């Protein structure tokens, strides 16, 4: 079964501090993972995907197949990073594909 | 492109009433997903379509929920009869393949 686990429902840090949002997955195939973000009163949007190996808004995430993790990191958090973050797994199913999301982590960056 | 369009944006109804949520995906996208967002359960996949065909509805909570996609540009999610525990934000998303999903603004449903 495909599953995405985000162990922290809430995460609070101070501005300028490092931040790490945890994501673990369970999937028998080769995983494709994403981070989506939802800012206050905005729709969910893609933040980054592991296959791109890019840094968006200072965030990076590395896929660790050994630990089945895809943690999102930023060395210096900013107040505008406060949002809801969702980790997602692209899972193949009988010729089709679906996106399975974790329950999300609400990040609050305090001044 | 206006992106994924959902209507209504807000719906307040009484228990027992029928509720219909609507979604217009981005033109050219071949996948459409319906998600429900609550504080307790986060973002749950209810059902998804590929080329207008329902592929997996195992996330639909009960028979009270049904979804259709009569053509590539329109989908509905219906709850009949509605119950207070159905109160949530319902998102529609579309994608070309299931890689990057584009989400609608959501419908905030309140069942009294």
């Amino acid at each position: 079964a495909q599953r995405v686990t985000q162990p922290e429902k809430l995460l609070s840090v101070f501005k300028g501090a490092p931040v790490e949002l945890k994501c673990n997955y369970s999937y028998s195939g080769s995983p494709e993972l994403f981070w989506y973000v939802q800012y206050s009163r905005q729709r969910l949007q893609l933040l980054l995907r592991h296959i791109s190996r890019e840094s968006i808004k200072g965030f990076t995430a590395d896929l660790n197949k050994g630990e089945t993790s895809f943690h999102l990191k930023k060395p210096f958090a900013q107040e505008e990073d406060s949002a809801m973050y969702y980790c997602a797994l692209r899972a193949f199913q009988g010729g089709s594909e679906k996106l399975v999301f974790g329950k999300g982590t609400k990040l609050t960056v305090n001044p | 492109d206006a992106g994924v369009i959902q209507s209504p944006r807000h719906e307040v109804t009484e228990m027992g009433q029928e509720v219909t949520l609507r979604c217009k995906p981005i033109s050219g996208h071949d996948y459409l997903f319906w998600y429900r967002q609550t504080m307790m359960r986060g973002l749950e996949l209810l059902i998804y379509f590929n080329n207008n065909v329902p592929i997996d509805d195992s996330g639909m909570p009960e028979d009270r929920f049904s979804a259709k996609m009569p053509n590539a540009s329109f989908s509905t999610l219906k709850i009949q009869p509605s119950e207070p525990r159905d109160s949530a934000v319902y998102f529609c998303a579309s994608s070309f393949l299931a890689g990057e999903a584009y989400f609608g603004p959501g419908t905030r449903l309140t069942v009294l």
Side-chain angles (χ1 to χ4, degrees):
Chain A
Q2 314 99 359
R3 184 177 298 139
V4 176
T5 303
Q6 293 179 250
E8 302 141 328
K9 219 172 187 178
L10 302 170
L11 184 61
S12 184
V13 300
F14 285 102
K15 176 182 172 182
V19 62
E20 180 180 65
L21 292 90
K22 291 184 168 50
C23 171
N24 289 90
Y25 66 90
S26 173
Y27 184 54
S28 57
S30 184
E32 259 193 77
L33 286 141
F34 306 82
W35 276 99
Y36 281 77
V37 61
Q38 185 181 26
Y39 300 104
S40 179
R41 295 191 178 87
Q42 295 187 26
R43 60 183 76 189
L44 274 98
Q45 56 188 287
L46 179 67
L47 179 62
L48 53 81
R49 65 187 86 186
H50 93 268
I51 58 174
S52 300
R53 302 185 67 81
E54 57 197 345
S55 173
I56 302 293
K57 298 184 179 183
F59 284 98
T60 60
D62 291 317
L63 177 61
N64 186 323
K65 291 186 179 181
E67 295 183 359
T68 60
S69 69
F70 187 58
H71 303 327
L72 183 67
K73 299 176 185 179
K74 185 170 182 176
F76 307 103
Q78 302 299 315
E79 289 180 66
E80 55 265 31
D81 296 329
S82 296
M84 195 76 184
Y85 291 82
Y86 290 94
C87 183
L89 167 71
R90 178 182 181 181
F92 293 84
Q93 180 182 26
S96 290
E97 309 165 357
K98 65 180 181 180
L99 274 176
V100 178
F101 284 81
K103 293 187 179 182
T105 298
K106 184 176 182 179
L107 173 66
T108 302
V109 181
N110 300 299
Chain B
D1 199 322
V4 176
I5 299 172
Q6 289 186 249
S7 65
R9 294 292 306 276
H10 301 273
E11 176 80 33
V12 180
T13 190
E14 291 189 345
M15 183 173 64
Q17 296 298 306
E18 177 180 296
V19 174
T20 300
L21 311 181
R22 296 173 176 80
C23 175
K24 182 180 188 308
I26 292 174
S27 176
H29 282 187
D30 56 350
Y31 279 84
L32 185 140
F33 306 86
W34 281 102
Y35 291 91
R36 179 171 67 176
Q37 183 186 45
T38 60
M39 287 294 292
M40 290 298 297
R41 296 182 173 173
L43 207 56
E44 302 173 275
L45 177 62
L46 300 177
I47 185 172
Y48 74 101
F49 296 82
N50 180 206
N51 293 318
N52 313 339
V53 176
I55 302 301
D56 183 352
D57 65 355
S58 60
M60 298 284 260
E62 297 171 35
D63 290 346
R64 298 184 295 106
F65 285 70
S66 63
K68 294 181 180 179
M69 192 165 186
N71 57 62
S73 59
F74 184 66
S75 177
T76 59
L77 177 68
K78 186 177 292 187
I79 309 172
Q80 166 64 17
S82 58
E83 296 183 3
R85 60 194 167 121
D86 301 331
S87 298
V89 180
Y90 291 81
F91 286 102
C92 174
S94 71
S95 71
F96 180 64
L97 304 179
E100 177 177 352
Y102 290 81
F103 281 77
T107 295
R108 183 173 295 275
L109 173 65
T110 303
V111 183
L112 303 173

